[in-house]
Amino acid sequence: GGSASWYVVSSSGNDIDEIVIRTLLGEYEPAGENHGRTMFKKHLLPGASAVEVFLYYWDNRDGPTFEGWWFGNKVGGTSVWSHNADSGMTPPSSKWKIPWDGAVRETLAVAPKAADQQQPQQQAQVQQQVLAPQVQQQQSPQLQQQQAWQQQQQQQQLQ
């Protein structure tokens, strides 16, 4: 069904200048299934000269070494950037190895986009608190009417 959400790949480290990290960072849209799991394809902006990146699950048909979630340039292809031995139904959030047979890169995070969208709202609330004095200066129409009415009252009193 259409219940599969997009996923967002981000890095919390200062490794975003690395080509492999830049390759993986971005938003991924559901793109069918592979080996019983939803697979994802990196959403490329129009005109972007970036390589295609797929995030997909591979079962143990080729042995336990290859089981888990992968970032690769095509599903089941030989060019892969990262591997995670997790066999859950959705891409794991952390413990991705870069390169695929190397060390775990703790800074790389994979998260559903829905959860990612909740954070900006929290930030927006903080911004609203900061902006509150400015908002009061702009004032609502009711306040402006009240003030106009008060001015009329004052003028009538003066007369």
Side-chain angles (χ1 to χ4, degrees):
S3 61
S5 67
W6 287 45
Y7 274 75
V8 178
V9 177
S10 60
S11 171
S12 59
N14 52 4
D15 52 6
I16 53 174
D17 287 337
E18 290 182 42
I19 289 176
V20 63
I21 298 293
R22 276 211 301 244
T23 300
L24 299 182
L25 295 184
E27 297 186 348
Y28 288 72
E29 53 191 325
E33 285 195 352
N34 191 63
H35 292 190
R37 311 272 194 280
T38 303
M39 59 179 238
F40 304 85
K41 181 177 187 286
K42 183 174 175 179
H43 182 71
L44 297 178
L45 298 171
S49 60
V51 288
E52 289 194 330
V53 187
F54 291 89
L55 168 56
Y56 62 92
Y57 175 77
W58 197 262
D59 62 21
N60 61 6
R61 67 185 66 185
D62 295 322
T65 309
F66 298 100
E67 183 177 4
W69 287 88
W70 295 85
F71 283 101
N73 69 338
K74 57 176 185 274
V75 175
T78 51
S79 180
V80 289
W81 292 285
S82 182
H83 175 237
N84 194 313
D86 189 283
S87 59
M89 290 304 294
T90 55
S93 58
S94 60
K95 303 278 188 267
W96 290 91
K97 292 184 297 188
I98 299 173
W100 71 271
D101 55 352
V104 167
R105 185 71 65 104
E106 296 289 353
T107 50
L108 195 77
V110 179
K113 192 177 177 184
D116 193 71
Q117 281 168 339
Q118 287 163 12
Q119 290 168 345
Q121 285 175 0
Q122 290 169 352
Q123 289 167 354
Q125 283 171 358
V126 172
Q127 284 171 347
Q128 279 168 5
Q129 287 165 0
V130 173
L131 292 173
Q134 294 173 358
V135 172
Q136 284 168 358
Q137 284 167 10
Q138 287 168 353
Q139 285 167 354
S140 64
Q142 290 169 325
L143 266 174
Q144 288 170 347
Q145 282 172 355
Q146 267 182 347
Q147 281 187 338
W149 182 78
Q150 283 171 347
Q151 284 168 350
Q152 282 174 355
Q153 293 289 94
Q154 287 169 352
Q155 284 166 354
Q156 283 171 1
Q157 284 168 1
L158 288 172
Q159 291 166 353

